[in-house]
Amino acid sequence: MVKLSIEVNLNQKFTPGIKATEKYRAELRDFHKKEPLFKEERESPGWFGGDFHIHSHHSDGDHSVYELMTYLHGKGLDFFVLTDHNTTLGWKEKYFSKTLVIPGIEISTFFGHFVLINWIGDINWFSLERKSTFEDIAVEIKRKGALLSVAHPECISDPICTGCRWNYPNFCWGIADIMEVWAGSWSERRAENIKTLKRWENLLNQGLKVIAVSGSDIHQLEPYKKDYGRTYVWAKSKTREGIMEGLKKGKVYITCGPKINFQLMTDKDVFVSLGEELEVDCNTSIELLINIENKKNKKKLHIELIKNGLVYNSYDSFLEHIELDWSDKVTKNCWYYLRLLDEKKCIVGLTNPIFIICH
Ligand SMILES: [Zn+2]
Ligand SMILES: [Zn+2]
């Protein structure tokens, strides 16, 4: 006779791989019989925090989309973009949503990885490889209402991660809508992310409006690190359409703690905010209004105001609420963004720019 012994651990949380997937599939079947616990969408406007780079078991991640939705909801994320390598099959798994999922794909080529946000279906990147140009597919990306994000552009490449660094021949940066300036954990990928930040600033100095986002690029659930950037988007509603609209406008900042409000004001009381453009007469005086809430860290925060890629002003503070009112006289076209650093000089927050056009 053969004795079979089965051990059941009811306290078990997430375990990578098939077992966890089966567990959550069973839970999922039960959910179909119940009302949803959470409503994924919300009609009122606000800042919504998300992650723009997540893998599931539909490519090389360990977990189902359902597990990711449950886990990332628990981490306080309002939304995430599902970016499996070269497939959007995971979108079909989105039977029931605890958190807002935006469909996407990460196209992995030998010359770099790019993410399409708000994208479902295939893309013929083999022909792209042969032509070495993006022009052919850029039209289709725009037509479908998707945005193109260059993923981890300064990631380590051969022999550790073949094709992971962005080195696409003849790539016209005007095609890129977004750049992942905060890849993974800032402290662990600091050298890479600082290089990316410089690359982004160079594009801004060339007059290109490329929006900065973060992506954890997680393949496993634990640990979801404290210094993964969370990208906040100002949206009219917590819906796929709302997030995409806010994202396109660049009403976006990235943080792993501090909440940031950054606006410009003219002497005629005109206000502009992140992603916006202000047209003024040359030699106009402007005020730069900075409001930061730093309740979580309670440690010294170094605040840098960057103008055209250079530090224009800086300030150190231990306060939970920081209010700064700086001024400048505009003499030519310029852009400003804010960068927050902790005591170890790691970036803990950065905004997208505000642009000034000077006549
Ligand atoms: Zn990648
Ligand atoms: Zn990835």
Side-chain angles (χ1 to χ4, degrees):
M1 189 169 45
V2 179
K3 279 191 176 178
L4 293 172
S5 152
I6 299 169
E7 195 178 314
V8 179
N9 180 359
L10 293 173
N11 293 320
Q12 197 174 4
K13 289 187 178 172
F14 287 109
T15 41
I18 295 298
K19 281 183 188 168
T21 302
E22 283 168 359
K23 181 186 164 207
Y24 281 91
R25 282 214 177 110
E27 198 179 299
L28 187 62
R29 281 193 291 275
D30 285 344
F31 267 121
H32 283 301
K33 298 170 198 162
K34 299 174 191 170
E35 284 296 305
L37 288 175
F38 308 99
K39 200 170 182 302
E40 64 165 312
E41 299 190 341
R42 205 181 84 191
E43 286 307 319
S44 49
W47 284 106
F48 300 108
D51 191 322
F52 281 83
H53 197 144
I54 300 275
H55 290 276
S56 78
H57 63 184
H58 290 276
S59 60
D60 53 350
D62 281 350
H63 295 277
S64 68
V65 178
Y66 182 73
E67 287 171 282
L68 290 165
M69 289 189 298
T70 310
Y71 179 79
L72 294 172
H73 178 86
K75 292 289 170 193
L77 261 72
D78 293 303
F79 70 93
F80 68 90
V81 186
L82 184 64
T83 58
D84 277 308
H85 295 283
N86 308 320
T87 179
T88 55
L89 275 176
W91 183 246
K92 292 186 179 176
E93 204 197 303
K94 196 189 132 315
Y95 311 111
F96 165 84
S97 194
K98 284 188 172 184
T99 190
L100 179 67
V101 185
I102 295 174
I105 191 168
E106 181 176 21
I107 305 292
S108 318
T109 81
F110 293 120
F111 306 108
H113 296 182
F114 64 95
V115 162
L116 301 181
I117 299 162
N118 196 30
W119 179 274
I120 303 169
D122 299 328
I123 190 151
N124 190 3
W125 68 274
F126 276 109
S127 71
L128 179 76
E129 289 279 64
R130 291 189 187 113
K131 288 179 184 172
S132 298
T133 173
F134 270 83
E135 265 85 24
D136 294 338
I137 62 158
V139 177
E140 195 186 348
I141 293 166
K142 295 279 177 295
R143 190 177 56 78
K144 284 192 168 181
L147 295 175
L148 189 149
S149 169
V150 174
H152 47 70
E154 294 289 349
C155 183
I156 194 159
S157 195
D158 285 342
I160 310 289
C161 190
T162 302
C164 291
R165 181 170 297 161
W166 190 256
N167 202 13
Y168 219 94
N170 303 322
F171 181 69
C172 168
W173 276 96
I175 290 171
D177 302 294
I178 293 170
M179 184 188 271
E180 211 175 83
V181 301
W182 187 325
S185 145
W186 188 280
S187 57
E188 286 173 11
R189 297 174 70 169
R190 183 177 167 172
E192 170 194 336
N193 283 333
I194 285 173
K195 270 188 178 177
T196 306
L197 208 54
K198 285 280 160 224
R199 214 166 173 176
W200 177 61
E201 289 174 349
N202 284 339
L203 295 178
L204 295 172
N205 274 336
Q206 289 169 43
L208 294 172
K209 288 186 176 176
V210 179
I211 297 150
V213 302
S214 63
S216 65
D217 204 356
I218 59 164
H219 292 69
Q220 291 84 33
L221 297 182
E222 294 287 357
Y224 196 79
K225 293 175 183 159
K226 281 183 182 166
D227 61 350
Y228 285 156
R230 188 165 299 189
T231 302
Y232 278 87
V233 180
W234 175 265
K236 282 183 192 161
S237 60
K238 192 183 131 186
T239 58
R240 186 169 144 191
E241 295 73 25
I243 299 291
M244 288 305 292
E245 189 190 345
L247 183 62
K248 278 178 196 166
K249 287 179 181 167
K251 287 187 168 294
V252 177
Y253 74 91
I254 313 169
T255 182
C256 62
K259 291 181 179 172
I260 311 170
N261 193 340
F262 176 40
Q263 289 182 313
L264 296 191
M265 190 180 85
T266 67
D267 48 5
K268 289 172 186 151
D269 284 356
V270 177
F271 284 86
V272 283
S273 185
L274 304 182
E276 290 180 329
E277 200 176 88
L278 177 68
E279 291 193 32
V280 292
D281 294 329
C282 280
N283 297 315
T284 298
S285 292
I286 55 162
E287 279 184 65
L288 300 115
L289 310 171
I290 297 155
N291 200 307
I292 296 163
E293 193 184 292
N294 189 31
K295 277 185 183 168
K296 262 189 181 176
N297 299 326
K298 294 184 177 172
K299 287 180 182 166
K300 189 175 85 176
L301 203 60
H302 179 70
I303 301 145
E304 289 180 341
L305 173 66
I306 310 296
K307 180 183 180 183
N308 293 348
L310 300 171
V311 178
Y312 175 76
N313 208 347
S314 66
Y315 186 77
D316 287 339
S317 176
F318 287 90
L319 295 174
E320 285 185 6
H321 295 280
I322 305 157
E323 274 190 39
L324 299 168
D325 187 347
W326 286 330
S327 60
D328 192 13
K329 188 178 260 189
V330 178
T331 54
K332 57 181 183 179
N333 290 358
C334 59
W335 48 269
Y336 302 88
Y337 82 94
L338 277 185
R339 207 154 67 182
L340 314 182
L341 293 94
D342 67 9
E343 286 170 320
K344 295 175 199 153
K345 297 289 173 204
C346 279
I347 287 188
V348 292
L350 65 94
T351 70
N352 270 274
I354 302 174
F355 302 89
I356 306 273
I357 306 295
C358 189
H359 295 294

